[in-house]
Amino acid sequence: MVGRVYEERALRTHVLVLVEGNRDAGAAGRVVALAVELGALDLVVRGRCRDALVHVPEQRLDLGYALDGRVHSALYNGHGHLSVTGRIAAVQTLRRTPLFERHAALGARLVPFAGWEMPVQYTSIVDEHRAVRTSAGVFDVSHMGQLSLRGRGAHEYLQSRLSNDLDRIGAGQAQYTLLTNERGGITDDLIAYRRGDDDYLLVVNAANVEPDHAALDETEDVSSEWALLAVQGPEALERLGTDIEPFTFREDDVLDVRCLVAGTGYTGERGCELGCSPDDAPSLWDAILERGVVPCGLGARDTLRLEVCYPLHGNDISPERTPIEAGLGWACALDKEFTGVDALRRQKEEGPDEKLVAFVMEEKAIPRQGMKIAEGGEVTSGSLSPMLNVGIGLGYVPAERAAPETPLSIDVRGRAKAARVVKKPIYRREES
């Protein structure tokens, strides 16, 4: 049976087996060993070894029964038990970018993310983070989605649905904007690239391609036509032998590959994003690495954006949160009509009950998403800042507690840890 499981490891559809009641100090190691033996695709140990999720191929539906005794014997002589989630319900098949083989060859740690199998790190998150802050790093962001709209009326259509004012940009310019719902909640944050008077390319979050396409039903989903690499850092443009102004774009040859070169990114550093044909992505990636640019994973991408307080959809912003609460009112042209604008006008006039703030820990502790804030609200993003070497985070607090220097108390695994609200961004280059 184990041999057959190994043969099926390449199948990306998998299932979840939940091992519960696992409180023995050495049990986590035995779960890992069992997962390896079964050819598991992934393993997540939660809490202090109390729960574990083992991902195994869907095709082995018998594992839900055959493993029961084996898990008992593997976990401290049967003091735990196995439960199967809904007769081993299948999980979404993971997709791969055109650079998957490159990531695997470099020994990247690959994880599921928004339905894709993506590199979270190659060496270490801290090293990759610092490479971007001090020199240059490259990220595969081909999982991002692209929606296209061109033809008569394209500008008017998007102007009536996106929050920012597209009249402020011309051909060759890009704009950060929001897609909002009737309540003013943030369905997605995205970048609109204006290619002409009635010609737009929208780059949207990977997990939101389908809902964005449904909301903007006149657009065309062209995600399969694009690969996207982000080269970021103070030396990024020099390493590529090019230059680009922030929030502008053009078509150009970069390292002998035809690209859409955009002065955008998600790290707070200068650099660019390179959109190209999926077939050209591997050669472009290789050429970038040959210039001494460091390959970076999603882990560093997350800590970099957190240091400069760029919100992450699904954590800091969501359909339940408005731009006014999230501090993104600057991306909303409230003098024009778009979905949810009336709700946002009312909220701006009355003031929100809660606001998204940045904070720094005053005690040695690392905040994480979901941790409660004693004064009200909770942490939405948290990590250790590789540049400042302190715990940092974003979180919603009562509006009256949102001013910089306001003290907060974060519940870090049952212990109250002191923090203080700071002005955004948390990290500024002059502090390094």
Side-chain angles (χ1 to χ4, degrees), residues 72-86:
H72 275 293
S73 63
L75 302 183
Y76 54 95
N77 300 322
H79 295 293
H81 65 277
L82 173 76
S83 65
V84 180
T85 63

Side-chain angles (χ1 to χ4, degrees), residues 48 79 176 251 320:
R48 295 177 59 84
H79 295 293
Y176 179 83
E251 287 193 12
E320 288 71 47

Side-chain angles (χ1 to χ4, degrees), residues 222-242:
V222 294
S223 304
S224 62
E225 300 175 13
W226 292 90
L228 191 61
L229 281 65
V231 188
Q232 302 280 289
E235 299 177 2
L237 297 175
E238 181 182 356
R239 299 282 180 103
L240 296 178
T242 191

Side-chain angles (χ1 to χ4, degrees), residues 77-348:
N77 300 322
H79 295 293
H81 65 277
L82 173 76
S83 65
V84 180
T85 63
R87 174 141 175 94
I88 317 188
V91 179
Q92 179 184 4
T93 301
L94 295 177
R95 302 172 65 186
R96 293 175 173 177
T97 77
L99 296 171
F100 176 84
E101 298 300 334
R102 294 298 197 274
H103 304 319
L106 288 170
R109 179 187 167 199
L110 297 158
V111 299
F113 179 80
W116 294 77
E117 190 168 15
M118 298 294 294
V120 67
Q121 68 183 70
Y122 298 85
T123 55
S124 79
I125 292 174
V126 170
D127 288 347
E128 293 163 24
H129 179 113
R130 290 176 176 166
V132 173
R133 288 279 184 249
T134 60
S135 57
V138 58
F139 303 82
D140 178 11
V141 289
S142 302
H143 61 306
M144 302 290 283
Q146 289 80 28
L147 304 178
S148 178
L149 185 63
R150 62 179 64 190
R152 186 175 180 179
H155 174 79
E156 182 179 355
Y157 175 82
L158 293 176
Q159 179 77 324
S160 68
R161 285 162 174 77
L162 300 179
S163 69
N164 215 333
D165 186 1
L166 292 171
D167 286 340
R168 296 175 182 171
I169 61 172
Q173 294 182 305
Q175 184 181 77
Y176 179 83
T177 187
L178 308 171
L179 179 62
T180 50
N181 57 32
E182 293 290 346
R183 301 183 303 279
I186 303 171
T187 301
D188 202 6
D189 64 332
L190 58 135
I191 296 182
Y193 296 86
R194 190 170 187 178
R195 298 180 291 199
D197 289 345
D198 275 317
D199 189 354
Y200 283 89
L201 180 70
L202 310 178
V203 176
V204 305
N205 282 300
N208 291 332
V209 177
E210 291 185 7
D212 287 5
H213 188 208
L216 302 171
D217 57 358
E218 292 191 16
T219 62
E220 178 185 2
D221 183 359
V222 294
S223 304
S224 62
E225 300 175 13
W226 292 90
L228 191 61
L229 281 65
V231 188
Q232 302 280 289
E235 299 177 2
L237 297 175
E238 181 182 356
R239 299 282 180 103
L240 296 178
T242 191
D243 198 10
I244 187 79
E245 290 299 314
F247 279 85
T248 66
F249 68 96
R250 67 176 185 271
E251 287 193 12
D252 203 353
D253 289 334
V254 176
L255 305 179
D256 297 324
V257 175
R258 195 66 179 174
C259 299
L260 186 150
V261 185
T264 51
Y266 194 51
T267 64
E269 298 292 337
R270 283 296 306 276
C272 62
E273 293 179 304
L274 304 174
C276 66
S277 163
D279 292 339
D280 291 333
S283 62
L284 180 59
W285 174 269
D286 293 344
I288 291 170
L289 295 194
E290 288 173 3
R291 293 295 183 100
V293 179
V294 175
C296 301
L298 295 178
R301 184 172 165 86
D302 189 53
T303 54
L304 286 159
R305 68 91 193 168
L306 180 56
E307 281 187 339
V308 293
C309 302
Y310 290 169
L312 175 63
H313 196 274
N315 283 43
D316 314 303
I317 55 178
S318 71
E320 288 71 47
R321 291 292 184 179
T322 73
I324 307 302
E325 295 170 324
L328 296 175
W330 59 268
C332 298
L334 298 183
D335 56 346
K336 71 162 192 167
E337 299 301 318
F338 62 91
T339 305
V341 69
D342 288 339
L344 296 178
R345 288 167 180 160
R346 288 193 299 271
Q347 189 176 61
K348 182 177 181 180

